[in-house]
Amino acid sequence: MSNNPVITDGSAPSPAPVEERPGTAAAVRRDGPAATAALLAAARRAANRRFAAAWVLTVVLLLALLVASVLLGGLRNIPAGDVLPAAFGLRTGLADYVIHRIRLPRALAALLGGALFGLAGALYQRLVRNPLATPDVVGISAGAGAGAVTVLLLMPAIPYGVEGAALAGAFVMVGAVLALSRQSGKVDTYRLVVIGIGLAAVATAYTNYLFTMAGKQGLSQVMRWLVGSVSGATWDGVTTLTVALAVCGICAAVLQRPLASMSLGDELASGLGTRVGAARTAALLLGAGAAALATSVTGPIGFVSLVSGPIAARLVGTERALALAPAVGAAVVLGADVLAQHGPLISPVPTGAVTALIGAPYFVLLILRRGQGAPS
């Protein structure tokens, strides 16, 4: 006898139930909270593995670029066995001069300065929720550069005067941009970007004016503030960048949780206990400080802040982009500096010229996509 069901009412037989796979929406509805928790735990483990893999790959890339920056260009008359000891200052003469005093400080300044620019850009992008709102675009880096050049030309003997003036210029620019971009008691992100670009042009014009007033001795020092360069970096500058990155990194880690809650909206963040006003002010000042201290050593290397955060977000997701953005910024500046020194057809050029070649088309693309209503 056939096992097929007998149809007595003219309707089609009901299909056999399909086995539900674990992790599907149907399985979650059937199994309830336990399945949901397991699914979330699996997603978290996958995100952790992705984050760890991205960090490992970025660190390997940074080490490769660091070695290339030190070794490319030839080491004539320097024995191979003296290269590593000279990097730690254990040799004298030519090896010490070429490696320890010129190439290694330049490479480390590019790495540390890029990390600070990347951190500053990711902070502003996450806080304002606008990929265009970065320190170099809204004029923070230009303000820091204007302050640094003022002290460099007019009061060069002041201890730590360049760093202090860069911080002052950045904070003044932050205050001006925020004050002018407020509308109905709130900061309008579109106005913030447009006003920031205008104020950046003013600060750049002021820097150019100082450049025309500089004497022959000051010309080489001021040149780096027009485009941005790590040429001529010293161990004092590397020390400044190291301390700045350590302090800014710790502060960014403290602000990570308030920023995460603020991404849900100011009202909900306040309901969760976050002091929204204080956290926003702290993040704005932290980003400005990071960009200013990097600018005080390297000059305003453009577009690093703009591209680091989005690259990090594509690698590890938006929520963890802030943790990876400094490493991405370091790789961008260090790689750009290697190209600036040894790239075919373009070298030697300032590091900022190479980052502009990369970042300017991306900036235009962002403007066009936002104008068309596409997600950034």
Side-chain angles (χ1 to χ4, degrees):
M1 179 181 295
S2 173
N3 292 327
N4 293 332
V6 179
I7 303 173
T8 57
D9 57 356
S11 62
S14 60
V18 179
E19 184 178 354
E20 295 168 350
R21 291 177 297 175
T24 62
V28 169
R29 287 195 299 269
R30 182 195 65 192
D31 297 337
T36 303
L39 187 61
L40 291 176
R44 191 177 301 112
R45 287 193 298 270
N48 289 338
R49 289 193 296 268
R50 182 181 176 185
F51 181 75
W55 254 107
V56 169
L57 290 175
T58 306
V59 169
V60 170
L61 176 61
L62 284 173
L63 290 175
L65 290 172
L66 189 63
V67 171
S69 180
V70 173
L71 298 184
L72 284 179
L75 296 173
R76 295 179 180 178
N77 302 320
I78 299 178
D82 288 347
V83 173
L84 188 59
F88 291 95
L90 302 178
R91 290 293 185 269
T92 58
L94 184 62
D96 175 74
Y97 179 76
V98 172
I99 297 175
H100 187 70
R101 298 190 184 186
I102 296 180
R103 295 191 182 180
L104 190 58
R106 175 170 184 158
L108 291 177
L111 188 151
L112 296 169
L116 284 168
F117 282 125
L119 175 63
L123 271 172
Y124 272 56
Q125 287 168 335
R126 182 161 186 176
L127 183 67
V128 185
R129 302 189 194 105
N130 188 327
L132 297 175
T134 58
D136 50 351
V137 174
V138 301
I140 309 302
S141 296
V149 171
T150 300
V151 171
L152 189 65
L153 292 180
L154 303 181
M155 297 168 284
I158 298 179
Y160 301 103
V162 174
E163 293 83 355
L167 286 171
F171 292 157
V172 167
M173 191 67 73
V174 168
V177 170
L178 289 179
L180 294 174
S181 61
R182 286 189 177 274
Q183 192 173 27
S184 303
K186 294 183 179 181
V187 175
D188 181 83
T189 57
Y190 178 78
R191 286 168 60 92
L192 184 144
V193 172
V194 174
I195 290 172
I197 292 173
L199 291 179
V202 173
T204 302
Y206 170 73
T207 304
N208 290 338
Y209 169 75
L210 290 178
F211 176 72
T212 63
M213 302 297 293
K216 292 183 178 180
Q217 293 183 347
L219 286 178
S220 60
Q221 292 179 309
V222 178
M223 275 293 294
R224 70 187 332 186
W225 303 102
L226 297 180
V227 182
S229 174
V230 291
S231 175
T234 64
W235 283 107
D236 288 340
V238 171
T239 301
T240 298
L241 293 175
T242 302
V243 174
L245 182 59
V247 173
C248 292
I250 293 172
C251 294
V254 173
L255 288 172
Q256 178 79 344
R257 181 168 293 182
L259 289 174
S261 65
M262 289 168 63
S263 65
L264 304 174
D266 290 356
E267 294 183 0
L268 185 55
S270 298
L272 294 173
T274 301
R275 299 174 61 183
V276 174
R280 177 176 287 112
T281 301
L284 287 171
L285 293 178
L286 177 61
L293 290 171
T295 301
S296 71
V297 176
T298 68
I301 299 179
F303 299 105
V304 180
S305 300
L306 182 71
V307 301
S308 299
I311 292 174
R314 287 186 177 275
L315 291 174
V316 298
T318 303
E319 293 301 317
R320 301 190 180 205
L322 184 60
L324 187 63
V328 174
V332 169
V333 177
L334 189 53
D337 188 54
V338 171
L339 285 176
Q341 294 181 76
H342 310 290
L345 303 179
I346 61 172
S347 64
V349 294
T351 310
V354 179
T355 60
L357 288 175
I358 300 171
Y362 178 74
F363 178 73
V364 173
L365 178 62
L366 276 181
I367 293 289
L368 293 177
R369 293 188 65 186
R370 291 184 69 82
Q372 295 170 357
S376 299

